Amino acid sequence: MSSSGTTARLLPGGPVAEQVLAEVAEAVAGLRASGVTPALATVLVGDDDASAGYIRIKQRQAAELGFASPHVHLPGSASQADLHAVLEDFNADKGVHGVLVQYPIPGHLDYDRGLAVLDPDKDVDGMHPVNMGRLALGLPGPLPCTPAGIEALLAFHGVPVSGREVVILGRGATLGRPLAMLLAQKRPTANAAVTVVHTGVADWPRYTRRAEILVAAAGVPGIVQPEHVRPGAVVVGGGVRYEGRRLLPDVDESCAEVAGAITPRVGGVGPTTVAMLFRNAVRAAQRASGLG
Ligand SMILES: NC(=O)c1ccc[n+]([C@@H]2O[C@H](COP(=O)([O-])OP(=O)(O)OC[C@H]3O[C@@H](n4cnc5c(N)ncnc54)[C@H](OP(=O)(O)O)[C@@H]3O)[C@@H](O)[C@H]2O)c1
């Protein structure tokens, strides 16, 4: 509770993820009943403890949802060619519908070059250049997970987006840029007037202060302060930075005193991102088997 006694309504991502994952589990069961076992393959390169932990969590969740999850663990000394060979094997394997390469990978490897080798239809992160092109053109395909999660979060909590002014702080490839394309699409849960601001816009608060929906996507802890928020606006905290295990969000907690609704510091956008990964995976299996 703020000193003024007003706090924004919270927009947690957990219930959104639960709903999406329940739909995924139902779709997986439907595929299995038709004789298709959806498979989400995972690739880990090197021995980073945190990455290994993230992969284990995703594999456990995949198993709970009914996916098969073949896994390849390459040594930290693996070459770019080794990575490409694994991805090409998965591309050729009709039994594998989605492939996830855990990020980050060791510094001597080029993640983007690896991603470009992957079959775009198996790209569950929705970040392959072909899928970014599909998004730009409004064609069906896997959507980038964090932007898709934010659209789902707003829809789940009944936040109207259509016709409203959305300002996104950040134009990064993971979040700001694809989110701008997504929320400008002609669909009832999008259809917004979208403005994107970044370091090239020195007076960016001029734009964020007029936003009905403000999305922080900068990765700069505390960059969004109450004076940058229009009273009553909806504030979505997408950008985060980690210092060790400590999560430092873009949106200062005191923004809750000005906003009408706001994602919580922890458990906001994050859970929806993971849910979208599995949604992409099951949809890939549906498309590949003609059962979508
Ligand atoms: N919650 C989740 O599940 C989740 C998932 C994925 C990503 N993320 C987070 O989302 C954030 C964005 O990731 P990304 O890869 O899309 O972006 P990115 O490539 O890191 O780019 C950050 C963007 O923020 C802008 N920016 C940085 N400092 C700024 C400042 N002082 N004033 C104005 N603009 C500033 C940059 O402007 P310029 O373009 O001018 O440099 C850039 O467009 C990161 O924090 C990432 O951790 C969260």
Side-chain angles (χ1 to χ4, degrees):
M1 185 71 77
S2 73
S3 54
S4 65
T6 51
T7 33
R9 176 166 77 98
L10 284 182
L11 306 173
V16 191
E18 261 175 47
Q19 187 185 67
V20 171
L21 292 174
E23 287 163 12
V24 169
E26 204 175 305
V28 169
L31 282 165
R32 281 179 164 266
S34 307
V36 177
T37 302
L40 170 59
T42 51
V43 181
L44 176 65
V45 190
D47 294 308
D48 179 65
D49 280 348
S51 295
Y54 291 135
I55 279 280
R56 270 197 303 275
I57 291 168
K58 283 171 193 157
Q59 283 178 321
R60 198 181 317 132
Q61 208 167 358
E64 281 166 15
L65 291 165
F67 287 91
S69 54
H71 179 63
V72 170
H73 184 180
L74 288 171
S77 59
S79 66
Q80 189 78 29
D82 294 333
L83 175 61
H84 290 191
V86 168
L87 297 176
E88 276 157 5
D89 282 350
F90 282 140
N91 283 349
D93 186 340
K94 286 194 167 31
V96 168
H97 306 101
V99 180
L100 171 72
V101 180
Q102 183 61 43
Y103 187 85
I105 57 178
H108 67 281
L109 299 175
D110 185 333
Y111 186 86
D112 290 339
R113 268 180 63 211
L115 183 61
V117 167
L118 186 62
D119 178 344
D121 291 333
K122 298 188 180 188
D123 160 38
V124 289
D125 273 327
M127 294 295 299
H128 189 288
V130 167
N131 290 322
M132 285 290 176
R134 287 168 167 164
L135 172 61
L137 294 170
L139 297 172
L143 291 171
C145 295
T146 308
I150 289 175
E151 184 183 347
L153 182 134
L154 293 170
F156 179 92
H157 289 290
V159 175
V161 175
S162 182
R164 298 180 89 201
E165 176 145 25
V166 175
V167 176
I168 302 169
L169 176 59
R171 58 179 161 191
T174 326
L175 185 45
R177 212 173 323 151
L179 180 65
M181 289 195 279
L182 195 64
L183 294 185
Q185 284 185 346
K186 201 168 185 172
R187 278 177 294 106
T189 53
N191 221 16
V194 182
T195 302
V196 182
V197 292
H198 38 73
T199 61
V201 183
D203 188 15
W204 57 260
R206 177 156 76 92
Y207 297 88
T208 60
R209 273 198 299 265
R210 67 176 202 212
E212 294 172 286
I213 300 171
L214 169 59
V215 183
V220 179
I223 190 171
V224 177
Q225 293 290 325
E227 64 268 28
H228 304 136
V229 177
R230 172 176 164 162
V234 173
V235 178
V236 177
V240 287
R241 186 184 292 166
Y242 281 92
E243 263 179 26
R245 304 191 90 178
R246 219 169 129 234
L247 178 146
L248 303 172
D250 281 5
V251 177
D252 192 89
E253 269 177 288
S254 57
C255 291
E257 294 168 22
V258 179
I262 193 164
T263 51
R265 188 175 178 282
V266 177
V269 171
T272 69
T273 298
V274 180
M276 291 302 150
L277 182 95
F278 288 108
R279 191 175 80 174
N280 279 339
V282 78
R283 286 187 177 171
Q286 288 172 325
R287 273 194 302 272
S289 55
L291 294 167

